[in-house]
Amino acid sequence: MRDHFSILHKGDVTLCCVDFDRKAAVGNLRHSSLKEILSSDEVEKIVKGFRRLKLVHPYCRHCLGSRSFASLLFNPVPSITVLKALKPFFYMRTKLYR
């Protein structure tokens, strides 16, 4: 979460790069600095949840397939594990032009 987020055109900082509707917005750059937003209590709870393989934010629960209480207990584990495994690939540098 601290290194994979989006900033929308009106300054909203969201937790996810596919959140175009600001459903997971955690702050706005017009009101706070990026450092303040990413170190907020809300973001800290969400990050701790991901570390414990739990989805805290409702948008994350919906997106990663936890629509019921039973799936909330089981689905986040594989989803978060896959996200953690793919993290190095998000940071691979690809040359578009030679």
Side-chain angles (χ1 to χ4, degrees):
M1 291 288 118
R2 294 192 189 278
D3 55 4
H4 192 75
F5 55 87
S6 295
I7 300 174
L8 303 180
H9 73 282
K10 291 187 178 184
D12 293 314
V13 178
T14 66
L15 300 174
C16 182
C17 61
V18 298
D19 179 22
F20 304 109
D21 298 330
R22 66 176 300 282
K23 292 179 182 175
V26 290
N28 189 294
L29 293 176
R30 293 180 182 178
H31 308 296
S32 305
S33 70
L34 185 59
K35 183 177 181 179
E36 290 172 338
I37 293 169
L38 294 179
S39 62
S40 69
D41 290 339
E42 180 183 6
V43 172
E44 191 62 37
K45 285 181 192 177
I46 295 165
V47 169
K48 283 182 182 179
F50 265 86
R51 285 187 195 136
R52 295 178 182 147
L53 303 178
K54 293 183 181 181
L55 300 173
V56 175
H57 197 280
Y59 184 76
C60 299
R61 288 183 199 155
H62 177 75
C63 184
L64 295 174
S66 298
R67 294 187 177 102
S68 69
F69 182 73
S71 65
L72 181 60
L73 294 176
F74 300 108
N75 283 353
V77 175
S79 298
I80 294 171
T81 304
V82 168
L83 288 174
K84 287 183 178 189
L86 292 176
K87 185 175 180 176
F89 296 104
F90 291 139
Y91 297 102
M92 288 177 43
R93 296 181 187 249
T94 305
K95 293 183 181 180
L96 297 177
Y97 303 102
R98 292 184 185 199

